[in-house]
Amino acid sequence: EAGVTQSPTHLIKTRGQQATLRCSPISGHTSVYWYQQALGLGLQFLLWYDEGEERNRGNFPPRFSGRQFPNYSSELNVNALELEDSALYLCASSPPGGSNQPQHFGDGTRLSIL
Amino acid sequence: GDSVTQMEGPVTLSEEAFLTINCTYTATGYPSLFWYVQYPGEGLQLLLKATKADDKGSNKGFEATYRKETTSFHLEKGSVQVSDSAVYFCALSDRTNAGKSTFGDGTTLTVKP
């Protein structure tokens, strides 16, 4: 079974640019989650998509947005990039079944803002 | 809001030592509790979980018991190995805040031969 895949592995941008990160969930998983793992700050919940809809978002500004496609893959878009957006962005997926289901993580996209 | 507090690291142990990593939580509802592990150079993976009070999750010799009275989910292993060196994250998923998992800051464990 293929795991959660994320692309690109690394992304280098400058301030003010826009970044797009992609995630493909495990086959059969309908929920996709996005997290930011900044140095020294742990994992911060960004967004949850389920069945194509945004179901919940964390305490991040509106320039962090995304979507989920009919095949359940997902994009995270970050507009007007700032230096503090530099972090590892992790995507996770889970099967139907609610909060009892564990999340399966990808290896992440490391976003660096110069 | 929900929160998870983990024992601060890093933790360094000798092989075959006993491991405890403390985790306490605050949640408004009835959370499910998880331990995830991140080995060097890899993504997070589920280690064990418990979905209701007094449940014990176990995997690879690790155990954690969901203690509602003390709002804790401490991770234990009786005899650690060098291969257990990793970062361990405690997390909760609260049914009343659908889809949002809250993670602790992670505890880095180094096991020396």
Side-chain angles (χ1 to χ4, degrees):
Chain A
E1 174 185 82
V4 176
T5 57
Q6 292 188 243
S7 64
T9 306
H10 293 94
L11 190 56
I12 299 174
K13 295 284 185 178
T14 58
R15 288 177 60 191
Q17 285 188 313
Q18 185 253 356
T20 298
L21 288 63
R22 297 180 176 83
C23 173
S24 292
I26 291 172
S27 177
H29 287 195
T30 58
S31 283
V32 170
Y33 310 81
W34 287 96
Y35 293 88
Q36 182 192 68
Q37 189 177 23
L39 198 62
L41 292 180
L43 269 76
Q44 304 296 319
F45 169 76
L46 264 166
L47 290 158
W48 170 41
Y49 291 97
D50 182 61
E51 297 287 355
E53 300 285 331
E54 181 182 303
R55 303 294 186 182
N56 204 348
R57 69 179 290 131
N59 189 25
F60 281 83
R63 59 191 185 83
F64 287 83
S65 65
R67 53 181 172 167
Q68 186 178 34
F69 298 98
N71 66 354
Y72 301 111
S73 66
S74 177
E75 277 183 358
L76 173 69
N77 296 293
V78 188
N79 294 320
L81 286 165
E82 301 179 1
L83 292 176
E84 54 264 35
D85 297 333
S86 294
L88 180 67
Y89 289 83
L90 293 170
C91 172
S93 71
S94 68
S99 61
N100 287 346
Q101 299 295 333
Q103 297 178 14
H104 300 256
F105 284 81
D107 289 337
T109 293
R110 185 160 297 281
L111 176 63
S112 299
I113 312 302
L114 304 180
Chain B
D2 298 342
S3 67
V4 175
T5 302
Q6 271 185 248
M7 168 180 170
E8 286 191 20
V11 174
T12 303
L13 295 173
S14 298
E15 208 165 21
E16 299 184 2
F18 184 86
L19 168 71
T20 300
I21 300 178
N22 289 338
C23 172
T24 57
Y25 67 90
T26 303
T28 53
Y30 302 94
S32 295
L33 302 174
F34 306 87
W35 277 100
Y36 289 86
V37 59
Q38 188 173 29
Y39 297 105
E42 299 183 14
L44 274 77
Q45 54 185 275
L46 177 69
L47 182 60
L48 52 85
K49 72 172 187 176
T51 58
K52 62 182 187 297
D54 300 325
D55 268 3
K56 176 186 282 188
S58 60
N59 186 26
K60 300 182 181 180
F62 291 88
E63 292 183 340
T65 301
Y66 190 142
R67 301 285 188 200
K68 187 177 179 183
E69 63 277 13
T70 55
T71 62
S72 64
F73 193 54
H74 305 321
L75 182 68
E76 296 182 335
K77 187 174 184 181
S79 176
V80 293
Q81 305 300 314
V82 172
S83 57
D84 293 328
S85 298
V87 182
Y88 293 82
F89 293 89
C90 183
L92 70 83
S93 181
D94 190 340
R95 298 179 189 85
T96 64
N97 194 357
K100 179 181 177 183
S101 286
T102 302
F103 284 77
D105 290 339
T107 301
T108 300
L109 170 66
T110 301
V111 180
K112 297 188 173 181

